[in-house]
Amino acid sequence: MKTRDYILLALSLFLIIFFAVSSKGQNTEKEETVFVAASLQPFVFDFIKEARKRGFDPLDRIISLDSIKFKNDNRTLGLYANNNVYINPFLNIDSHIIKVVVFHELFHAVYKMPHCHKKCNHLMGAYKPENFTFSLYYNDEIWQTVLDIEFNRIK
């Protein structure tokens, strides 16, 4: 993602947060802000960028979440629950795995995307085949194809 894209996304988030805070005294049902852990922000920005490339704009839905943060959980790599996205901090061993898991959880949170209920190689598989490796996603051509598959499931 280019620096210009990060600046535009950060500015968008700032303006939304600014308007939410400045309208506190008015009758608003819910503040439109989301807490995003600093080290997860680049992955959220990448998700927004990839969605926009494919004709989607998830920003409003992301902002309606309560948080996107790390949470210790020995049972899962990531979780979308109670309007929060949780990422297992153990994943800090590899930022690319964090990106894959953030995308997976944001597909749940933003587009209500279900799991694939069989062993499958695509991003929304609940269980991966025995020979699966996250290193497949290091190849940008494969990653883009995987994202195309998932975004096409939304349409």
Side-chain angles (χ1 to χ4, degrees):
M1 184 175 217
K2 294 179 182 176
T3 303
R4 180 182 161 273
D5 294 333
Y6 282 116
I7 292 170
L8 289 173
L9 288 171
L11 181 60
S12 296
L13 286 173
F14 171 78
L15 290 173
I16 290 168
I17 292 168
F18 172 78
F19 286 117
V21 170
S22 66
S23 65
K24 265 189 174 181
Q26 301 171 7
N27 271 339
T28 56
E29 292 180 21
K30 179 184 183 265
E31 286 186 41
E32 295 295 323
T33 61
V34 59
F35 169 79
V36 181
S39 60
L40 295 176
Q41 289 175 7
F43 308 115
V44 175
F45 291 155
D46 283 349
F47 183 85
I48 293 167
K49 180 189 84 167
E50 294 294 345
R52 286 179 174 169
K53 267 184 9 185
R54 292 163 176 84
F56 297 95
D57 192 353
L59 190 58
D60 288 343
R61 292 179 184 181
I62 289 173
I63 289 173
S64 72
L65 297 172
D66 293 331
S67 67
I68 302 170
K69 61 186 177 182
F70 289 104
K71 180 180 179 183
N72 287 321
D73 185 344
N74 294 331
R75 298 168 293 150
T76 184
L77 299 178
L79 178 68
Y80 168 62
N82 302 319
N83 210 37
N84 293 283
V85 170
Y86 301 113
I87 304 300
N88 192 320
F90 175 75
L91 297 180
N92 277 317
I93 60 171
D94 187 326
S95 64
H96 199 75
I97 295 174
I98 292 175
K99 179 178 181 174
V100 172
V101 174
V102 167
F103 272 59
H104 175 100
E105 296 308 328
L106 286 175
F107 272 113
H108 284 311
V110 173
Y111 297 113
K112 309 303 180 210
M113 180 85 64
H115 284 125
C116 159
H117 289 292
K118 59 183 179 191
K119 289 187 178 186
C120 56
N121 263 335
H122 68 74
L123 186 63
M124 295 309 292
Y127 304 98
K128 302 295 185 198
E130 189 174 309
N131 62 347
F132 174 81
T133 173
F134 280 98
S135 64
L136 287 170
Y137 299 140
Y138 279 100
N139 179 310
D140 191 57
E141 187 175 324
I142 292 172
W143 179 241
Q144 293 302 316
T145 300
V146 166
L147 293 180
D148 287 343
I149 291 168
E150 298 309 335
F151 280 106
N152 282 332
R153 289 177 63 204
I154 296 168
K155 295 178 179 179

